[in-house]
Amino acid sequence: QQQVKQSPQSLIVQKGGIPIINCAYENTAFDYFPWYQQFPGKGPALLIAIRPDVSEKKEGRFTISFNKSAKQFSLHIMDSQPGDSATYFCAASKERTGTYKYIFGTGTRLKVLA
Amino acid sequence: GAGVSQSPSNKVTEKGKDVELRCDPISGHTALYWYRQSLGQGLEFLIYFQGNSAPDKSGLPSDRFSAERTGGSVSTLTIQRTQQEDSAVYLCASSLGPGMNTEAFFGQGTRLTVV
């Protein structure tokens, strides 16, 4: 019940394409869903996050779509660029209960071809 | 400091030796986390500190692993009698305490290699 399942494991797109990364969770107590971006040799950095009171959130070229009933959320990268090539992790935590432990997905390695 | 600082950045140790990994969180952050990232894998939760509350140790893989946080700031992760399977990148993160802004800021990690 604590798992967050992420797919695909890896993804290759052409520049300008729209890669989509999907995550699913089981525990309905999760109420905060961030996406982290990690470049080689660096720690993960927050990209965008959503709470279940909204179905979509956009920040620049990054969009999270959230489906509460299906317990799924996804990251879309519009007009992808080679500089977006990185590993992306979804995560979930329980803000309401004051438990801020993040449960991470297994990551998606994205490569954007020039 | 400006960000989460971890030291050392790299550590090579012989099997059976003890190691200590250090994390300096962002000033004012009351929450501190340790995660482990094995090659090509996701982030595995190890331990979570929040203020003066008892830490959540539910992710520690064995009793060879322990962590402490002194004065609500610096944290040390200790691995005793290291094994080859302990080889991984150990990531520390910190965040503000309970509230709506729970962004976790990560350090660059300590790459541990057990030979």
Side-chain angles (χ1 to χ4, degrees):
Chain A
Q1 226 189 6
Q2 291 293 326
Q3 277 189 318
V4 176
K5 297 181 180 179
Q6 183 172 348
S7 63
Q9 188 174 20
S10 63
L11 193 52
I12 301 175
V13 300
Q14 294 287 338
K15 177 182 174 181
I18 305 176
I20 300 173
I21 305 170
N22 300 298
C23 284
Y25 63 98
E26 295 182 359
N27 191 335
T28 56
F30 288 140
D31 56 8
Y32 179 70
F33 303 90
W35 284 90
Y36 279 79
Q37 180 188 55
Q38 185 179 31
F39 293 104
K42 303 291 186 182
L46 180 67
L47 192 62
I48 186 173
I50 197 168
R51 292 181 175 87
D53 53 341
V54 297
S55 60
E56 185 177 277
K57 184 174 182 180
K58 292 184 180 181
E59 286 187 6
R61 294 183 295 106
F62 301 93
T63 299
I64 300 179
S65 297
F66 188 84
N67 186 330
K68 187 175 181 179
S69 60
K71 292 184 285 187
Q72 295 176 347
F73 58 110
S74 60
L75 176 70
H76 302 232
I77 305 175
M78 306 301 176
D79 187 26
S80 58
Q81 302 295 313
D84 296 329
S85 297
T87 300
Y88 293 81
F89 294 95
C90 62
S93 71
K94 307 172 193 176
E95 275 190 334
R96 279 195 310 268
T97 61
T99 303
Y100 301 96
K101 179 174 72 180
Y102 292 84
I103 305 300
F104 283 86
T106 50
T108 296
R109 184 170 294 183
L110 172 66
K111 186 173 180 63
V112 181
L113 302 176
Chain B
V4 177
S5 178
Q6 292 188 244
S7 60
S9 55
N10 282 284
K11 176 72 176 179
V12 180
T13 190
E14 292 182 352
K15 177 181 174 182
K17 295 286 181 72
D18 298 351
V19 295
E20 285 188 352
L21 313 180
R22 177 187 168 102
C23 173
D24 273 284
I26 293 173
S27 178
H29 281 191
T30 61
L32 186 147
Y33 319 74
W34 283 98
Y35 285 85
R36 178 168 71 175
Q37 185 174 29
S38 301
L39 186 63
Q41 300 298 310
L43 284 76
E44 175 189 6
F45 168 77
L46 296 177
I47 188 168
Y48 164 66
F49 295 90
Q50 173 55 57
N52 295 321
S53 302
D56 178 349
K57 304 180 181 180
S58 60
L60 294 178
S62 77
D63 59 8
R64 296 187 296 106
F65 288 73
S66 64
E68 63 176 19
R69 189 177 184 192
T70 55
S73 181
V74 171
S75 177
T76 302
L77 177 69
T78 301
I79 308 174
Q80 296 179 309
R81 304 181 302 282
T82 51
Q83 303 295 313
Q84 288 185 328
E85 61 262 29
D86 300 334
S87 296
V89 175
Y90 290 81
L91 290 161
C92 175
S94 70
S95 68
L96 292 170
M100 294 304 289
N101 184 357
T102 55
E103 177 181 354
F105 294 83
F106 282 84
Q108 294 199 1
T110 293
R111 181 176 297 276
L112 174 67
T113 304
V114 182
V115 297

